[in-house]
Amino acid sequence: MHVFYYKLSLVEYAPIISWLVISIVASHSISALRYFYFKNRYVERKLLSKVLNEVALRKDKLQRAVEVLQKQNERLHRFIEEKEKGKRLVELQKKLLQQQQEDLKQALESARQVQRSLLLPYENYLKKRFPSSFLLFQGADGVSGDFFLCMHAHGYDWVCIGDCTGHGLPGALLSCASVLALQDLLQRHKRLSPVQLFELYEERMDFYLHHEALYLKTGADIGILKIAPSGEASFAGRGIPLLLTRQAVLYELCTSRAGLLANRLLVPADDAPGDQVEFFLEAGDRFYLFTDGYKDQLCHRQGKRPRRYGSRRLFHLIESIKDKTPEQQKQLLIDAIRAWRGSDRLNDDVTVVGVVVE
C-alpha cells in the first residue's frame, strides 16, 4: 500500500496566513479600541466624580455662606431699624430742643423789652436833664443784671447805676427790683443822702428777699450821685467809682471797693464803707459812671491766657475820647470793647453813663 504525501506550496499557504494575520490584527485592534474606549470612559467618570464632589463641596460652602449672609442681613436690618428709631428720637429731641431754645429766646426778648421799658423813662430824663450825655447799656444775655436810674426827686437830681450778682434772667429780676426799690425810696423820703439811700436800699432788698440775701449770695455794686440845683453834688459808691474830668485832669472818686447785701460778708470790720464824697460840678465837667462789666471783658488770644480789659485801659480810653461828642464817645466805647473781645460774645453785662455838665 502506497501513501502519498502532498506538500502545499507557499503560494497555497498565503491566503491562510493572510486571513490569520488579518484576524490577529483585527483582534488586537478591537482589544486596543476597547481598552482606550473603556480607559477614556473611566477617566471621564473619575473626572466627573471629582467635579461633582467639588460642586457638592462648593454648594455646601455656598449654602453656609448664604446662611451667614442671611444672619448678617437680619442683624443689619435690626441695626438699621434701631438706628432709624434712634435717628427719629434724636430728630424729635432736636425739634424739642429747638422749640425750647426758641421759647427761651422769645422769653428773653420779652424780658429784655420789659426791662428796657422800665429803664426808658430814666434814660429819657437823662437826655432831658443833661442833653450832652449818653447811656451804653448792653446785656450779655439780652437782659441785664445791671440797672440804671436817673430821676428828679424833692428838688434834687439823682443818677444811680448798679450791678447785681449774676446776669441773665436772675440778674434782670434783681436789677428790676433794685430800680423799683430805689425809685420808691427816693419818692418817699425827702431828705436823703447817698449813704442813707444805701442803708434803706439794703433794708428794702432784705425785705424783698425775706432776709435770705446772705444765703443766696446775692449782692450789688451801686454808685449813687446826688446833684443839687446849685451844682453841689455828693457821691457814694459801693464797688462802683465815679470818674470826673475837669480841665484835662481825670479824678477817680470811690468810697468803697465792696458792694452791698451779701458782699458785706467779705468786708472786714475795719474796712467798712466810708462816707460820701462832696464836691461841686462846674460847667464843662464830664463825669462817668460804669459797672465792672466793661473792664472785665475778656480777650482770648490763641495760645495765651484770657486777659481782662482792665481799669487802666478804660481810664486811658476815657481820657482819649473825653473831647468827643456823647454819641461819638458811646460808639468809640462800643468799638473798643468789640475789637478787644473779637468774635467772642459779651461775658458780662456792660453799663456806662457819660454826662457833660452845661
Side-chain angles (χ1 to χ4, degrees), residues 160-335:
C160 306
I161 187 173
D163 180 8
C164 297
T165 302
H167 47 79
L169 288 177
L173 290 173
L174 289 173
S175 69
C176 292
S178 296
V179 169
L180 295 176
L182 290 171
Q183 178 187 6
D184 183 63
L185 291 171
L186 289 173
Q187 290 175 345
R188 283 176 179 270
H189 301 274
K190 292 184 178 181
R191 296 181 180 180
L192 278 179
S193 66
V195 173
Q196 291 172 339
L197 184 57
F198 281 143
E199 296 174 357
L200 293 175
Y201 169 78
E202 280 192 315
E203 292 177 1
R204 180 64 62 87
M205 293 305 293
D206 280 339
F207 173 76
Y208 284 165
L209 300 174
H210 300 285
H211 305 283
E212 293 185 1
L214 296 176
Y215 305 104
L216 296 174
K217 296 183 180 179
T218 300
D221 295 338
I222 302 180
I224 299 178
L225 176 63
K226 179 183 178 182
I227 306 173
S230 62
E232 182 182 359
S234 56
F235 172 77
R238 301 295 185 263
I240 291 182
L242 182 142
L243 295 185
L244 176 66
T245 61
R246 176 177 296 174
Q247 298 178 355
V249 179
L250 180 64
Y251 302 92
E252 181 185 7
L253 308 181
C254 184
T255 56
S256 174
R257 298 291 180 181
L260 296 174
L261 299 175
N263 291 343
R264 57 196 163 195
L265 289 178
L266 305 178
V267 183
D270 56 352
D271 192 24
D275 295 332
Q276 60 197 20
V277 179
E278 306 287 345
F279 60 100
F280 276 89
L281 287 173
E282 301 175 358
D285 287 349
R286 302 168 185 264
F287 65 84
Y288 301 88
L289 288 167
F290 52 88
T291 60
D292 61 0
Y294 197 100
K295 59 186 179 65
D296 285 346
Q297 292 300 316
L298 296 177
C299 171
H300 294 84
R301 294 289 185 264
Q302 188 174 6
K304 297 183 179 180
R305 295 178 58 185
R307 293 187 302 163
R308 296 168 60 250
Y309 192 79
S311 300
R312 181 175 297 179
R313 288 190 181 87
L314 178 58
F315 293 169
H316 288 327
L317 177 60
I318 289 177
E319 280 187 314
S320 65
I321 67 174
K322 64 180 183 300
D323 295 329
K324 305 291 185 180
T325 64
E327 291 302 323
Q328 289 175 340
Q329 292 186 38
K330 179 178 179 180
Q331 189 59 47
L332 288 171
L333 286 168
I334 294 174
D335 294 342

Side-chain angles (χ1 to χ4, degrees), residues 55-175:
V55 169
L57 290 174
R58 292 184 179 181
K59 183 179 179 181
D60 292 338
K61 292 181 180 179
L62 182 61
Q63 185 66 30
R64 288 194 295 270
V66 169
E67 292 177 356
V68 171
L69 288 176
Q70 287 179 348
K71 292 180 180 179
Q72 292 179 349
N73 193 24
E74 291 176 358
R75 288 197 297 268
L76 181 61
H77 278 297
R78 288 195 299 269
F79 175 75
I80 292 175
E81 289 178 357
E82 293 175 358
K83 189 174 181 181
E84 289 294 331
K85 290 180 180 178
K87 185 178 179 180
R88 288 194 295 269
L89 181 60
V90 169
E91 289 178 353
L92 179 60
Q93 292 176 344
K94 183 179 179 181
K95 290 180 179 179
L96 291 175
L97 182 60
Q98 290 176 346
Q99 184 63 39
Q100 290 176 355
Q101 289 178 342
E102 187 65 28
D103 294 342
L104 180 59
K105 287 181 180 179
Q106 293 178 358
L108 287 174
E109 179 61 24
S110 299
R112 187 190 69 82
Q113 293 176 359
V114 170
Q115 188 176 39
R116 292 296 298 175
S117 300
L118 180 65
L119 300 180
L120 184 60
Y122 309 121
E123 184 177 359
N124 292 336
Y125 182 76
L126 176 69
K127 288 291 185 181
K128 180 180 178 181
R129 174 64 179 83
F130 304 101
S132 298
S133 62
F134 70 88
L135 170 64
L136 174 59
F137 188 83
Q138 292 182 337
D141 299 314
V143 292
S144 176
D146 292 354
F147 64 85
F148 163 77
L149 181 142
C150 181
M151 61 180 293
H152 185 80
H154 306 294
Y156 294 93
D157 292 315
W158 294 82
V159 180
C160 306
I161 187 173
D163 180 8
C164 297
T165 302
H167 47 79
L169 288 177
L173 290 173
L174 289 173
S175 69

Side-chain angles (χ1 to χ4, degrees), residues 35-51:
Y35 171 76
F36 286 109
Y37 174 76
F38 286 109
K39 182 179 180 182
N40 290 335
R41 290 294 300 275
Y42 172 76
V43 172
E44 288 176 357
R45 285 197 300 272
K46 190 173 181 179
L47 290 175
L48 181 60
S49 177
K50 185 177 180 181
V51 169

Side-chain angles (χ1 to χ4, degrees), residues 11-26:
V11 176
E12 292 175 344
Y13 281 109
I16 297 172
I17 294 170
S18 297
W19 281 107
L20 183 61
V21 171
I22 290 171
S23 298
I24 293 171
V25 171

